Amino acid sequence: MADESFFERVYVIARQIPFGKVTSYGAIAKSIGAARSARMVGYAMNASHKMEDIPAHRVVNRKGLLTGKFHFDGTNLMQQLLESEGVKVVDNQIIDFEKYFWQPPMTELEG
């Protein structure tokens, strides 16, 4: 199934996000050669919550907003996880987003 391989490519990148850093749905999409698929990256993150090796809490929107927070158990779990890694969050937005932002590496396109 095409979605499964797309999701797996997303997860390969998500697993690389360093502790205390965040990236965006769009940055992951661009890194896997699917620049217009940020929403699909979001779907992949939502589907990953039972996968302990995927740090979905480290993926936010392009402005640093915790747009995926409602997909976590507990109202503030996403924020708590980020704060436990030293990321500052106020009103569902990462403070000093550029300081915490991690740019994913570009990956080889499958072809």
Side-chain angles (χ1 to χ4, degrees), residues 62-82:
R62 63 187 170 90
K63 296 179 180 176
L65 288 168
L66 310 189
T67 52
K69 77 176 212 157
F70 298 108
H71 298 284
F72 286 82
D73 292 333
T75 336
N76 293 315
L77 181 59
M78 185 177 187
Q79 180 171 335
Q80 291 167 347
L81 290 167
L82 288 168

Side-chain angles (χ1 to χ4, degrees), residues 1-33:
M1 183 175 179
D3 283 348
E4 286 181 27
S5 73
F6 178 89
F7 281 21
E8 190 49 47
R9 291 183 2 237
V10 168
Y11 299 150
V12 166
I13 298 298
R15 287 182 188 106
Q16 297 176 44
I17 305 169
F19 183 91
K21 295 289 185 179
V22 295
T23 196
S24 68
Y25 303 105
I28 290 175
K30 187 175 180 183
S31 78
I32 63 171

